[in-house]
Amino acid sequence: MSNVDVSNDIDIKDNRKCIVSLVLGILSIITFIVAYLGVILSIIGLIYGFLGLKEVNRFKQNGKRKAVTGITCCFLGIFLAFMSNIIAVYAIFS
């Protein structure tokens, strides 16, 4: 008996677009004060998130939770950026 390591030929991998969407979503939440940067990161993250989610469903890959979390973070980043702008404008003109 030898110790031979047997691996499967079919490895299910994480989708990289889902990971990019999650990272950009988190960065958009962190940078929501700089409104344009946060919104730009959120839009790019949303695009990657929806593309990644589509690929996950089509090719039976891992990463669906990451894509959904990334999309949610991106929407939250957009919401926070717009709310901070509204509060800033209200504070300036009050």
Side-chain angles (χ1 to χ4, degrees):
M1 300 283 285
S2 64
N3 293 335
V4 177
D5 194 19
V6 178
S7 64
N8 293 335
D9 289 336
I10 302 172
D11 285 334
I12 299 175
K13 298 181 180 179
D14 283 342
N15 191 308
R16 291 181 190 237
K17 290 179 183 169
C18 299
I19 297 169
V20 170
S21 172
L22 180 62
V23 170
L24 289 176
I26 292 170
L27 286 175
S28 70
I29 292 173
I30 293 170
T31 61
F32 77 91
I33 298 295
V34 183
Y36 297 114
L37 181 62
V39 171
I40 290 170
L41 290 175
S42 295
I43 291 171
I44 295 170
L46 283 172
I47 292 169
Y48 273 105
F50 285 121
L51 289 176
L53 194 59
K54 187 176 178 180
E55 287 181 4
V56 163
N57 291 332
R58 179 182 290 167
F59 299 120
K60 305 296 183 207
Q61 295 175 337
N62 290 333
K64 187 172 184 176
R65 284 184 178 176
K66 292 175 187 168
V68 172
T69 306
I71 290 169
T72 305
C73 288
C74 288
F75 278 126
L76 183 63
I78 290 172
F79 175 75
L80 289 174
F82 283 128
M83 289 306 292
S84 68
N85 281 341
I86 290 171
I87 291 171
V89 168
Y90 182 75
I92 290 171
F93 291 114
S94 290

